[in-house]
């Protein structure tokens, strides 16, 4: 893929996603248990999973699900996400709307965010919920990894829109990526070379999402973009102070990496680094206080572990009921790996815990 990119035949992410989807993309095939249809919600493609109607129940629960993949890979139609959403629909007796947002490099931030927001707002309309027999008071917004990023950003925006008559009851974030401010949190240091998501790869995903240049990767890695002389970053520093937000068991003996002098021009080139729509962990306390009951799943062997833990702590401090579900022996991305040949026990364990929380709270 990188050779094709180097030869300027195509972007490496286009090639990689083509390979993933060519061998894995599924058409919408319904069964007796679940009806699967592809639809368009306000210009955004979605896949809808509907359980059959039960005689003793008039309305179902609803879940908007936003898939991961670094804003660049995967699809609502791949077998891994198709399987996850089908099981969610069956287990919860819920209508699951899986959002097929556009990907890097076709579009970059903020288009993925707008796609997720438009699809969610469309589903929240009373007539649409009535069409799918969904209870307006029992809706969750959820996503994993980059999809968790989009889910958190969407929930923050929905909480600010005063004209909305229907709002999510819950948000459920699976090993979400929530900040590009500090690439030296303890989990980034501890897991910098950990598959499936090494630190360098995550930084490149951010650069691609912001349509930036890979030449900036090293500057980001050493936190030059948020050095003490970068005025625009100073006001956000307290919101991502992991020394006060993480428990000792996560901080271990790691030390903060704070440059006294950095490169302010990076934020000028990539202003989205400090945009809360891309970096939900930067939101102010007033916004966080308006968020719905929240579930955050984190894995020990994951550079993004501390993103989720810090967000859970900030939400808790803002008065939001939060469940932090941490798995000590699991890795980033594990929840979708429940189908042969990647049927891992970690995937089943995390998926069951996630669905159990939704079942008890939605």
């Amino acid at each position: 893929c990188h050779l094709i990119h180097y030869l300027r035949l195509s972007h490496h992410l286009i090639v990689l996603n083509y390979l993933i989807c060519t061998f894995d993309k599924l058409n919408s095939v319904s069964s007796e248990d679940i009806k699967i249809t592809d639809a368009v919600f306000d210009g955004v493609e979605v896949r809808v999973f509907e359980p059959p109607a039960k005689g003793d129940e008039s309305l179902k629960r609803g879940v908007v699900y936003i898939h991961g993949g670094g804003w660049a890979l995967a699809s609502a139609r791949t077998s891994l996400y198709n399987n996850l959403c089908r099981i969610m629909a069956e287990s919860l007796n819920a209508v699951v709307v899986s959002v097929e947002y556009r990907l890097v490099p076709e579009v970059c931030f903020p288009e993925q965010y707008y796609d997720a927001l438009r699809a969610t707002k469309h589903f929240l309309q009373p007539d649409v919920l009535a069409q799918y027999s969904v209870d307006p008071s029992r809706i969750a917004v959820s996503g994993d990894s980059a999809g968790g990023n989009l889910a958190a950003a969407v929930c923050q925006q929905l909480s600010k829109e005063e004209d909305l008559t229907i709002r999510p009851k819950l948000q459920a974030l699976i090993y979400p990526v929530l900040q590009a401010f500090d690439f030296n949190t303890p989990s980034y240091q501890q897991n910098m070379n950990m598959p499936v998501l090494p630190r360098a790869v995550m930084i490149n995903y951010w650069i691609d999402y912001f349509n930036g240049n890979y030449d900036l990767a090293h500057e980001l890695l050493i936190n030059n973009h948020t050095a003490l002389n970068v005025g625009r970053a100073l006001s956000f520093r307290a919101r991502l102070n992991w020394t006060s937000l993480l428990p000792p068991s996560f901080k271990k003996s790691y030390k903060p990496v704070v440059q006294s002098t950095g490169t302010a021009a990076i934020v000028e080139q990539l202003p989205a680094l400090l945009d809360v729509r891309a970096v939900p962990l930067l939101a102010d306390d007033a916004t966080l206080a308006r968020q719905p009951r929240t579930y955050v799943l984190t894995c020990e062997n994951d550079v993004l572990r501390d993103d989720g833990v810090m967000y859970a702590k900030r939400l808790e401090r803002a008065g939001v009921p939060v469940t932090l579900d941490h798995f000590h022996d699991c890795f980033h991305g594990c929840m979708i790996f429940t189908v042969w040949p990647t049927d891992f026990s970690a995937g089943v364990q995390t998926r069951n815990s996630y669905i159990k929380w939704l079942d008890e709270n939605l």
Side-chain angles (χ1 to χ4, degrees):
C1 294
H2 285 278
L3 176 61
I4 291 173
H5 191 161
Y6 177 77
L7 295 174
R8 298 187 178 183
L9 299 177
S10 182
H11 195 289
H12 72 275
L13 291 171
I14 293 177
V15 179
L16 182 56
N17 209 45
Y18 173 80
L19 294 174
I20 292 171
C21 294
T22 296
F23 295 102
D24 194 42
K25 220 165 196 179
L26 298 176
N27 292 323
S28 57
V29 179
S30 300
S31 66
E32 292 183 1
D33 298 319
I34 298 294
K35 176 185 177 183
I36 304 176
T37 55
D38 291 327
V40 177
F41 283 7
D42 192 16
V44 180
E45 295 182 12
V46 298
R47 174 161 286 189
V48 184
F49 300 76
E50 298 177 77
K54 293 184 178 180
D56 59 343
E57 186 175 64
S58 58
L59 295 177
K60 304 179 181 66
R61 296 181 277 197
V63 180
V64 175
Y65 195 85
I66 309 171
H67 72 79
W71 308 282
L73 302 174
S75 164
R77 299 186 178 102
T78 56
S79 63
L80 297 175
Y81 285 108
N82 204 79
N83 181 63
L84 172 62
C85 291
R86 178 189 289 272
I87 289 174
M88 288 169 60
E90 291 175 348
S91 303
L92 299 170
N93 190 37
V95 174
V96 178
V97 175
S98 189
V99 182
E100 185 78 324
Y101 58 91
R102 292 168 295 164
L103 302 174
V104 170
E106 176 193 353
V107 298
C108 298
F109 175 81
E111 297 308 318
Q112 287 85 348
Y113 161 77
Y114 284 135
D115 283 357
L117 181 62
R118 288 201 309 273
T120 303
K121 289 179 69 174
H122 180 87
F123 184 59
L124 291 176
Q125 293 180 98
D127 58 332
V128 177
L129 295 177
Q131 175 187 343
Y132 289 103
S133 299
V134 171
D135 186 339
S137 66
R138 304 178 76 189
I139 299 167
V141 176
S142 183
D144 65 295
S145 192
N149 168 283
L150 295 170
V154 164
C155 281
Q156 288 185 8
Q157 179 58 33
L158 293 177
S159 73
K160 299 174 184 177
E161 300 197 6
E162 297 180 358
D163 59 339
L164 281 183
T165 58
I166 298 171
R167 300 179 187 277
K169 180 182 181 182
L170 309 172
Q171 66 174 337
L173 313 176
I174 314 303
Y175 32 77
V177 48
L178 297 170
Q179 61 91 20
F181 193 93
D182 185 354
F183 291 108
N184 290 274
T185 63
S187 62
Y188 264 112
Q189 295 186 55
Q190 171 184 305
N191 300 300
M192 65 174 68
N193 296 314
M194 182 70 67
V196 170
L197 188 64
R199 176 169 62 172
V201 172
M202 189 63 244
I203 290 173
N204 284 342
Y205 277 136
W206 276 113
I207 291 172
D208 285 323
Y209 188 35
F210 296 155
N211 197 26
N213 192 307
Y214 292 143
D215 292 344
L216 297 175
H218 180 69
E219 301 271 4
L220 296 174
L221 186 148
I222 62 175
N223 288 346
N224 267 356
H225 61 302
T226 54
L228 295 178
N229 70 318
V230 180
R232 291 182 58 190
L234 284 177
S235 62
F236 295 108
R237 184 166 298 281
R239 301 178 189 179
L240 291 100
N241 181 9
W242 61 259
T243 63
S244 67
L245 291 170
L246 298 179
S249 59
F250 286 2
K251 288 187 286 188
K252 300 184 173 72
S253 60
Y254 293 105
K255 304 299 181 185
V257 175
V258 181
Q259 306 294 348
S260 57
T261 303
T263 311
I266 298 174
V267 178
E268 301 301 324
Q269 294 179 53
L270 301 178
L273 285 165
L274 301 178
D275 190 323
V276 294
R277 298 173 301 171
V279 191
L281 195 48
L282 292 182
D284 58 37
D285 292 341
T287 298
L288 296 185
R290 293 193 293 266
Q291 300 314 297
R293 179 182 293 270
T294 299
Y295 172 89
V296 181
L297 187 151
T298 56
C299 297
E300 181 66 22
N301 304 307
D302 182 7
V303 293
L304 301 179
R305 179 199 69 191
D306 296 344
D307 285 24
V309 175
M310 287 191 289
Y311 198 56
K313 176 56 69 174
R314 288 200 63 209
L315 287 168
E316 182 183 77
R317 288 180 177 178
V320 177
V322 179
T323 298
L324 177 61
D325 200 5
H326 182 65
F327 290 83
H328 293 278
D329 56 350
C330 294
F331 57 92
H332 186 80
C334 63
M335 199 177 77
I336 60 172
F337 294 121
T338 60
V339 181
W340 188 90
T342 57
D343 47 342
F344 301 134
S345 60
V348 175
Q349 181 185 6
T350 51
R351 185 190 67 194
N352 289 348
S353 187
Y354 161 69
I355 291 177
K356 181 174 183 290
W357 185 88
L358 285 174
D359 191 36
E360 292 174 349
N361 291 276
L362 186 58

